[in-house]
């Protein structure tokens, strides 16, 4: 038997074999019809007139298989019991992982940050998290689609999952080199998650999850915990240009049921994204991470961020804000700078909301959501992606509804008007409009 290489077995078949339209598209998506169905039954020795008839020998075959299965299960339980006696600690760990229980206290390894810590790209902050939890979560297994050096997903003492004959790793390794095959990578992770006992992750640039969309959608449909660690998440990736810059991608992911989608704004929100992704055992998650450095924000915390959205800070002296600015990911710090500008130059009071995960925010109570997105207060959002979907939450979304462009990322932000001075001018127009018009309450659930 071949034990060192995969094998391909090719079988030639005829679709609809035995039917009048055999070998044509006519048997693919339409009923055969009574006459043709009867011909197929007769060809295989069945009665033309009986439907859903199961022969006694078929019942017996499966009854025998059930008895055999029961005997194998009994043998397995005995083996597992003997293993528990011989290796109690390994047995305990094995059972924990099969049952899907996380190690007690693993989350204490998640790093937290203050505004005094140095600015870093969220992909780098993600690397810090992976290094912190990799040995706390031995079930964490995964890799990148040929972008490890850019995704920063390989922890310091990781061993590649490779046959020992390659001298590149071992089958005890937990890091996978998936190659440039995003769909295959996501499908493999689905299989690992479905089998259980491991938590798989897949990584590439955010825009390239589109190549994996068929398989990543099945992650959500099948309620599988797969972590999609997606870097280079906006025009902030710079010169690679519009072929690499996601615009509509996050809108597609947010429209997918049972998917958690994170755009963390700083280190605390990155840790929160990992906590939520790992503790949600029946949902896949996308962690959308930046190439460019971001500051750690005043008012952020892991505890707040796991709610999906929260009040980050308020600038100005009034008791109630004149304006809300909602930011995600790399645009949250821009929202902060815009709020400060409006407070200093226009005398306004502006509250900034960080919204790392709309799906988790949607699951909060009405009372909580409306304590964050205050009814009666004009709200704008800032995100360097499509504005599609944001009208549910804000009165005027600011983003990019064209393809991106190639250039240094700071110049691109200026080109697309995602700078504090331009956003502030748009905010003033929104406020002027709502001085003479009622402010509708958004994000209502009935």
């Amino acid at each position: 038997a071949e034990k060192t290489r995969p094998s391909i077995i090719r079988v030639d078949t005829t679709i609809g074999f035995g039917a009048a339209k055999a070998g044509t598209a006519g048997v693919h998506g339409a009923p055969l019809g009574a006459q043709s169905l009867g011909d197929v039954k007769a060809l295989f020795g069945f009665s033309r007139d009986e439907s859903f008839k199961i022969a006694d020998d078929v019942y017996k075959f499966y009854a025998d298989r059930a008895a055999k299965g029961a005997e194998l299960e009994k043998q397995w339980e005995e083996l597992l019991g003997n293993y528990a006696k011989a290796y109690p600690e390994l047995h305990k760990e094995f059972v924990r992982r099969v049952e899907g229980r996380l190690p007690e206290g693993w989350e204490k390894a998640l790093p937290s940050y203050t505004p005094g810590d140095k600015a870093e790209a969220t992909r780098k902050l993600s690397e810090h998290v992976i290094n912190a939890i990799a040995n706390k979560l031995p079930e964490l297994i995964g890799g990148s689609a040929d972008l490890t050096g850019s995704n920063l997903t390989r922890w310091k003492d990781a061993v590649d999952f490779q046959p020992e004959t390659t001298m590149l790793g071992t089958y005890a390794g937990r890091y996978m080199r998936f190659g440039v095959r995003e769909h295959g990578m996501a499908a493999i992770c689905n299989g690992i998650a479905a089998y259980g006992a491991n938590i798989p992750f897949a990584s590439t640039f955010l825009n390239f999850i589109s190549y994996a969309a068929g398989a990543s959608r099945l992650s959500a449909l099948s309620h599988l915990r797969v972590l999609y660690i997606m870097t280079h998440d906006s025009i902030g990736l710079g010169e690679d240009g519009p072929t690499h810059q996601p615009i509509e991608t996050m809108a597609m992911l947010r429209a997918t049921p049972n998917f958690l989608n994170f755009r963390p704004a700083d280190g605390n929100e990155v840790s929160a994204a990992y906590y939520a992704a790992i503790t949600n055992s029946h949902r896949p998650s996308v962690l959308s991470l930046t190439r460019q450095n971001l500051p750690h924000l005043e008012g952020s915390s892991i505890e707040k961020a796991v709610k999906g959205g929260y009040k980050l800070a308020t600038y100005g002296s009034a008791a109630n804000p004149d304006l809300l600015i909602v930011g995600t990911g790399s645009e949250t710090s821009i929202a902060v700078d815009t709020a400060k500008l409006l407070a200093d130059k226009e005398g306004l009071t502006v509250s900034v909301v960080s919204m790392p995960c709309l799906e988790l925010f949607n699951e909060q109570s009405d009372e909580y959501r409306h304590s964050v997105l205050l009814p009666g207060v004009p709200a704008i959002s800032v995100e360097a992606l499509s504005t599609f979907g944001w009208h549910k939450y804000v009165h005027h979304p600011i983003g990019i509804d064209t393809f991106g462009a190639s250039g240094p990322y700071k110049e691109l932000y200026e080109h697309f008007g995602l700078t504090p001075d331009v956003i502030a001018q748009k905010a003033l127009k929104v406020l002027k409009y709502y001085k003479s018009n009622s402010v509708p309450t958004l994000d209502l659930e009935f």
Side-chain angles (χ1 to χ4, degrees):
E2 177 59 64
K3 296 183 178 181
T4 61
R5 297 177 299 175
S7 299
I8 296 176
I9 300 174
R10 172 179 169 175
V11 178
D12 293 324
T13 64
T14 300
I15 189 170
F17 181 79
K21 296 182 179 180
T24 73
V27 296
H28 185 211
L32 293 179
Q35 179 62 43
S36 186
L37 181 60
D39 292 342
V40 174
K41 288 180 178 180
L43 179 65
F44 288 101
F46 296 101
S47 169
R48 284 178 167 273
D49 302 321
E50 291 182 324
S51 298
F52 306 105
K53 174 69 174 180
I54 301 174
D56 291 340
D57 59 339
V58 175
Y59 274 112
K60 183 179 185 306
F61 173 84
Y62 282 101
D64 291 344
R65 294 302 301 167
K68 178 64 174 177
E71 177 60 29
L72 291 173
E73 183 179 5
K74 181 181 177 182
Q75 293 175 17
W76 163 254
E77 294 295 344
E78 290 176 356
L79 177 64
L80 195 60
N82 292 333
Y83 183 72
K85 294 174 183 177
Y87 307 100
E89 290 303 314
L90 289 175
H91 172 266
K92 181 180 179 181
E93 174 68 5
F94 175 77
V95 171
R96 178 191 72 76
R97 290 175 60 172
V98 169
E99 291 179 351
R101 292 182 285 109
L102 297 171
E104 186 175 349
W106 74 273
E107 71 280 0
K108 295 177 183 177
L110 291 168
S112 59
Y113 299 86
T114 69
D117 292 318
K118 72 173 182 177
E120 292 186 274
T122 53
R123 64 170 175 160
K124 187 66 178 177
L125 295 163
S126 166
E127 183 183 37
H128 296 332
V129 171
I130 292 171
N131 273 288
I133 67 173
N135 292 324
K136 303 288 185 182
L137 287 172
E139 55 263 56
L140 189 66
I141 180 172
S144 168
D146 206 35
L147 286 169
T148 293
S150 294
N151 300 144
L152 305 180
T153 42
R154 193 177 190 273
W155 57 101
K156 292 177 181 178
D157 58 353
V159 176
D160 281 11
F161 182 82
Q162 298 276 4
E164 291 188 25
T165 53
T166 65
M167 307 295 288
L168 298 173
T170 75
Y171 282 143
R174 293 159 51 203
Y175 194 78
M176 296 185 172
R177 308 281 184 168
F178 287 108
V180 189
R181 48 178 68 87
E182 292 83 359
H183 176 87
M185 172 176 66
I188 290 167
C189 287
N190 283 344
I192 293 171
Y195 188 82
N198 288 296
I199 300 174
F201 69 86
S203 188
T204 183
F205 289 179
L206 177 61
N207 203 41
F208 300 155
I209 198 173
S210 299
Y211 294 129
S216 64
R217 183 178 185 270
L218 282 179
S219 303
L221 180 61
S222 304
H223 296 266
L224 299 174
R225 175 174 47 191
V226 177
L227 277 61
Y228 292 95
I229 302 172
M230 303 284 113
T231 68
H232 296 62
D233 75 331
S234 73
I235 59 168
L237 64 84
E239 288 84 352
D240 279 345
T243 58
H244 287 55
Q245 293 163 348
I247 298 294
E248 78 291 353
T249 310
M250 187 58 74
M252 173 193 75
L253 292 167
R254 286 171 175 160
T256 306
N258 197 45
F259 226 126
L260 296 178
N261 299 284
F262 297 91
R263 279 197 88 220
D266 69 356
N268 290 328
E269 291 192 2
V270 170
S271 290
Y274 271 96
Y275 176 82
I278 289 169
T279 55
N280 274 273
S281 59
H282 299 293
R283 287 193 281 190
S285 299
V286 165
L287 282 70
S288 177
L289 306 168
T290 68
R291 180 178 184 245
Q292 72 271 35
N293 290 343
L294 302 180
H296 299 285
L297 300 172
E298 187 76 50
S300 77
S301 73
I302 297 173
E303 293 74 19
K304 293 177 184 177
V306 293
K307 293 186 176 181
Y310 62 98
K311 291 187 289 186
L312 183 68
T314 299
Y315 302 91
S317 57
N320 298 309
D322 301 297
L323 176 72
L324 303 178
I325 305 180
V326 182
T328 80
S330 47
E331 290 68 69
T332 306
S333 57
I334 296 174
V336 169
D337 291 341
T338 304
K340 290 178 178 178
L341 179 64
L342 289 168
D344 293 343
K345 297 293 180 64
E346 304 293 337
L348 297 171
T349 297
V350 182
S351 289
V352 177
V353 172
S354 183
M355 193 73 74
C357 181
L358 286 169
E359 294 80 16
L360 290 180
F361 183 72
N362 291 341
E363 293 171 6
Q364 306 305 313
S365 66
D366 288 353
E367 181 182 10
Y368 177 79
R369 295 199 322 279
H370 290 142
S371 74
V372 175
L373 300 178
L374 296 170
V377 180
I380 64 174
S381 62
V382 185
E383 186 174 59
L385 299 169
S386 169
T387 62
F388 186 85
W390 274 105
H391 289 88
K392 175 182 176 180
Y393 304 96
V394 300
H395 303 96
H396 181 68
I398 298 172
I400 304 173
D401 290 314
T402 65
F403 288 115
S406 178
Y409 85 89
K410 289 183 179 179
E411 293 181 16
L412 292 177
Y413 271 78
E414 291 177 1
H415 174 76
F416 287 104
L418 296 173
T419 57
D421 56 336
V422 175
I423 296 168
Q425 290 303 310
K426 291 182 179 180
L428 291 173
K429 292 180 181 179
V430 171
L431 290 173
K432 181 180 179 181
Y433 175 84
Y434 283 114
K435 277 188 176 180
S436 56
N437 293 276
S438 61
V439 181
T441 298
L442 304 176
D443 189 26
L444 294 173
E445 298 290 341
F446 297 103

